[in-house]
Amino acid sequence: MSTKLTEEELGKINAIGQQEADIVLKIGQSEIQLDAIKKQKEVLLQQLTDLGKERTNLMNDMQAKYGEGTIDINTGEFTSHK
């Protein structure tokens, strides 16, 4: 024996199924976005590391040229520590 569901009941079941499918799709889209963000973060961290190395090399070159001291980056003035 079978009983046919009402249109309202069937509509509710279908609506819930559609909402579940939408949520699963959004989860997938979020995972793709997270992956892209992680990759972008890796690139940015590498760029930051490279800039740190560049700064260190520049500071070493300047120390070899001017000796130990400080630089006022606003005026470009070097003050020796000696």
Side-chain angles (χ1 to χ4, degrees):
M1 178 165 129
S2 67
T3 302
K4 188 166 182 163
L5 300 176
T6 67
E7 289 295 321
E8 182 181 350
E9 291 169 331
L10 191 56
K12 286 180 181 180
I13 291 171
N14 287 330
I16 290 171
Q18 184 60 52
Q19 288 174 344
E20 289 173 334
D22 291 345
I23 290 171
V24 169
L25 177 64
K26 288 178 183 178
I27 290 170
Q29 290 170 335
S30 295
E31 286 297 322
I32 291 169
Q33 290 173 341
L34 281 173
D35 187 50
I37 290 168
K38 287 177 186 178
K39 288 177 181 175
Q40 181 182 21
K41 180 182 175 184
E42 289 173 13
V43 168
L44 292 170
L45 287 172
Q46 184 60 54
Q47 289 175 346
L48 188 59
T49 298
D50 293 346
L51 282 173
K53 289 176 185 177
E54 187 176 337
R55 176 191 295 265
T56 298
N57 290 338
L58 178 60
M59 298 307 284
N60 289 338
D61 291 346
M62 294 175 84
Q63 185 176 11
K65 183 175 181 178
Y66 298 108
E68 298 240 358
T70 56
I71 299 171
D72 183 332
I73 60 170
N74 294 318
T75 64
E77 193 171 309
F78 174 79
T79 304
S80 178
H81 285 169
K82 293 182 179 181

